[in-house]
Amino acid sequence: MARVALVTGGTRGIGASISAALKAAGYSVASTYGGNDEAAAKFTAETGIGTYKWSVADYDACVDGIARVEADLGPIDVLVNNAGITRDAPFHKMSREQWQEVMDTNLSGVFNMTHPLWPGMRERNFGRVITISSINGQKGQFGQVNYSASKAGDIGFTKALAQEGARHGITVNAICPGYIATEMVMAVPEKVRDSIIASIPVGRLGEPEEIARAVVFLASDDAGFVTGSTMTINGGQYLT
Ligand code: CAA
Ligand code: NAP
């Protein structure tokens, strides 16, 4: 039986590449999204992967959504916490809403998805939890106090939970991508984006597939001894 993988925010950008790469590696894949039905329909037409719509920021919706996925595909072995948003603003202009939306999605969303799946992974003595953090959770970024805090939180979450999963065959890892060519980065003003690219030693943005390949490795049996790690994939922009 194929292992089952769920990718949050799996219909666009990095998540779409992760979903496709996991399918190509033999997993049964479910991809979730938050609201963009058109992108989700296009993704299913192109990949044949089924999609499910709910907000990772809503705990009860996560419980219900996970139950739907498990009824369709079976118990989830691999969780990829990829859904994330930006609400950039310098701190003196940042609203409480901008802070809260980012924390609810990028940090509480990871709790909301992992917590309901954890008992089943413990019972089955196998699981993979892979969370897409960010270079900006490692180094901080002007205009992203909310986002940087949420992504740094994802790293702490990973390091703590890895210690609890280790004896139950569950690995918990984070990936910190640098700037990757998706709509999220294209939303950054062009002048700012150009200066960011100029600061990347390899001289270009990353490609979503370059993150997806790392996820496939972390999900595999070969990665059974890798847990609590923070994998940095950023073209040399920030050396940890
Ligand atoms: N360092 C120092 N100063 C900076 C700066 C920086 N990186 N960026 C802007 N400033 C300065 C400006 O030069 C300006 O200075 P003056 O007042 O002297 O002119 C001042 O800060 C305020 O700038 P603005 O009035 O232009 O501020 P704004 O309200 O328009 O907001 C911003 C600016 C939203 C922060 C904008 O600069 C921006 O979008 N920056 C990019 C932030 C970023 O990197 N986001 C990443 C998105 S992708 C992602 O998050 C994925 C991932 O994980 C990598
Ligand atoms: P993206 O292109 O904007 O796609 C985001 C995906 O997340 C979409 O599928 C979106 O669904 C989904 N999503 C957003 N909020 C959600 C919610 N509340 N509930 C469920 N799904 C939600 O983003 P990306 O650039 O691929 O980024 C993916 C992840 O990588 C994010 O966590 C991001 O922070 C992180 N990251 C990105 C970069 C980068 O440079 N791009 C770098 C480092 C880390 P809809 O389609 O319905 O909106």
Side-chain angles (χ1 to χ4, degrees):
M1 276 279 283
R3 281 187 177 144
V4 176
L6 184 152
V7 183
T8 67
T11 56
R12 290 199 288 121
I14 294 172
S17 278
I18 294 170
S19 300
L22 286 169
K23 184 183 177 189
Y27 294 84
S28 292
V29 179
S31 301
T32 80
Y33 67 106
N36 189 335
D37 298 318
E38 201 182 318
K42 185 164 173 275
F43 168 80
T44 298
E46 285 170 4
T47 62
I49 296 170
T51 63
Y52 299 79
K53 179 179 174 180
W54 74 81
S55 174
V56 296
D58 178 340
Y59 186 90
D60 293 334
C62 291
V63 171
D64 291 349
I66 286 167
R68 276 193 284 139
V69 172
E70 293 198 326
D72 290 348
L73 301 182
I76 293 163
D77 305 296
V78 178
L79 169 65
V80 185
N81 288 310
N82 166 80
I85 58 169
T86 53
R87 296 289 182 266
D88 294 353
F91 190 58
H92 64 281
K93 293 185 189 170
M94 187 173 286
S95 66
R96 287 176 65 182
E97 287 73 23
Q98 285 173 316
W99 168 264
Q100 203 57 50
E101 275 184 69
V102 167
M103 296 305 286
D104 287 350
T105 305
N106 297 4
L107 182 54
S108 296
V110 170
F111 172 85
N112 295 343
M113 284 301 300
T114 311
H115 191 253
L117 286 172
W118 195 249
M121 288 183 174
R122 276 171 55 100
E123 269 165 33
R124 294 188 297 278
N125 274 305
F126 181 83
R128 296 282 187 263
V129 178
I130 302 160
T131 297
I132 309 302
S133 174
S134 167
I135 184 175
N136 292 341
Q138 296 172 300
K139 74 171 185 58
Q141 170 61 39
F142 191 105
Q144 287 199 309
V145 167
N146 50 1
Y147 184 87
S148 298
S150 70
K151 294 295 185 177
D154 289 338
I155 295 171
F157 175 96
T158 295
K159 289 181 175 177
L161 192 59
Q163 297 177 40
E164 298 191 19
R167 284 165 194 223
H168 302 278
I170 309 169
T171 66
V172 186
N173 291 288
I175 295 177
C176 288
Y179 284 76
I180 310 298
T182 69
E183 286 171 40
M184 183 180 274
V185 167
M186 293 314 153
V188 173
E190 198 178 349
K191 244 178 89 179
V192 179
R193 199 168 63 239
D194 287 346
S195 73
I196 290 169
I197 294 171
S199 73
I200 303 173
V202 302
R204 63 170 176 86
L205 296 173
E207 294 298 331
E209 293 73 18
E210 293 179 301
I211 306 306
R213 286 194 284 273
V215 172
V216 171
F217 169 66
L218 289 174
S220 72
D221 286 332
D222 285 345
F225 202 56
V226 183
T227 197
S229 75
T230 305
M231 191 182 282
T232 295
I233 308 177
N234 64 24
Q237 189 185 356
Y238 181 70
L239 306 176
T240 54

